[in-house]
C-alpha cells in the first residue's frame, strides 16, 4: 500500500512538472531595456491592453488615481514657476491657487479651481516657458483631460 501511494504521488508530481514545462514553452518573455522615461512601462501596458486580459477594475482605479495625482503635481509646478519666473497671477486667481496648494489629492470639489488655473493666462504663460523649470512632459495631457 505504501509503495502504491508513493508512486501515485510521484506520478502526480511528474504530471505537474510536465504541465509547468508546457506552460513555460508557450510563454514569451521579453526583456525591455532603456533609460528612465523611455517608454518601457508604457510599451508593456500597451501589450497588456492589446494582447492580454486588459486591466482589472482595481488596476484601472490605481491608474486613475495616479493620473489625477500627476495633474495636481503638474499644477503645483506651474504655480511655483509663476513665482520663480515672476509671472503675476493677480487677485482673481489667489483663492484657486491657495485651494490647489493646500491639498495633496485631487478630489471632485477641487476640479473647478484646478481648471480655472489651467485656463488662466498666467498659467498658460508659465507653461509656454516650461524649458525654464521642471515640468512633467505630459502635464498638458493630464490637465487637458481631467
Amino acid at each position: 500500500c505504501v509503495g502504491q501511494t508513493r508512486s501515485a504521488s510521484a506520478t502526480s508530481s511528474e504530471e505537474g512538472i510536465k504541465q509547468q514545462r508546457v506552460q513555460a514553452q508557450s510563454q514569451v518573455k521579453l526583456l525591455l531595456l532603456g533609460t528612465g522615461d523611455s517608454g518601457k512601462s508604457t510599451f508593456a501596458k500597451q501589450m497588456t491592453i492589446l494582447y492580454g486580459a486588459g486591466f482589472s477594475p482595481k488596476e484601472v482605479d490605481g491608474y486613475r488615481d495616479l493620473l489625477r495625482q500627476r495633474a495636481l503635481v503638474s499644477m503645483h509646478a506651474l504655480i511655483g514657476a509663476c513665482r520663480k519666473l515672476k509671472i503675476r497671477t493677480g487677485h482673481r486667481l489667489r483663492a484657486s491657487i491657495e485651494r490647489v496648494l493646500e491639498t495633496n489629492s485631487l478630489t471632485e470639489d477641487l476640479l473647478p479651481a484646478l481648471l480655472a488655473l489651467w485656463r488662466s493666462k498666467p498659467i498658460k504663460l508659465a507653461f509656454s516657458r516650461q524649458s525654464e523649470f521642471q515640468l512633467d512632459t505630459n502635464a498638458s495631457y493630464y490637465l487637458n483631460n481631467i
Side-chain angles (χ1 to χ4, degrees):
C1 283
V2 173
Q4 289 177 343
T5 305
R6 283 188 179 171
S7 75
S9 175
T11 303
S12 171
S13 295
E14 288 175 11
E15 288 176 14
I17 292 171
K18 285 180 184 177
Q19 286 178 339
Q20 287 177 350
R21 282 188 186 148
V22 169
Q23 275 185 330
Q25 288 175 346
S26 68
Q27 288 180 345
V28 176
K29 294 184 180 181
L30 180 65
L31 175 64
L32 298 174
L33 301 174
T35 61
D37 291 329
S38 65
K40 300 178 297 292
S41 295
T42 303
F43 177 77
K45 289 172 190 166
Q46 288 296 322
M47 292 299 104
T48 300
I49 292 168
L50 294 173
Y51 302 107
F55 298 118
S56 70
K58 185 177 179 181
E59 289 174 316
V60 170
D61 289 342
Y63 289 129
R64 184 180 298 120
D65 291 344
L66 177 64
L67 291 173
R68 287 178 177 168
Q69 183 64 27
R70 289 185 177 175
L72 186 60
V73 167
S74 295
M75 185 53 69
H76 282 208
L78 287 163
I79 292 168
C82 284
R83 292 177 178 163
K84 177 185 172 192
L85 301 172
K86 300 190 186 333
I87 298 171
R88 298 182 63 114
T89 54
H91 298 291
R92 270 182 342 128
L93 297 176
R94 183 171 291 151
S96 294
I97 289 171
E98 289 173 4
R99 181 111 169 82
V100 167
L101 290 178
E102 72 187 9
T103 186
N104 289 322
S105 63
L106 182 55
T107 57
E108 294 292 325
D109 60 319
L110 187 63
L111 285 177
L114 190 80
L115 291 173
L117 287 171
W118 178 236
R119 293 176 182 142
S120 71
K121 288 182 181 180
I123 294 295
K124 291 293 185 184
L125 178 58
F127 182 79
S128 73
R129 296 176 61 185
Q130 63 184 295
S131 63
E132 299 175 49
F133 63 97
Q134 182 69 36
L135 183 64
D136 189 313
T137 307
N138 299 309
S140 64
Y141 176 81
Y142 305 141
L143 293 164
N144 283 328
N145 292 290
I146 265 192

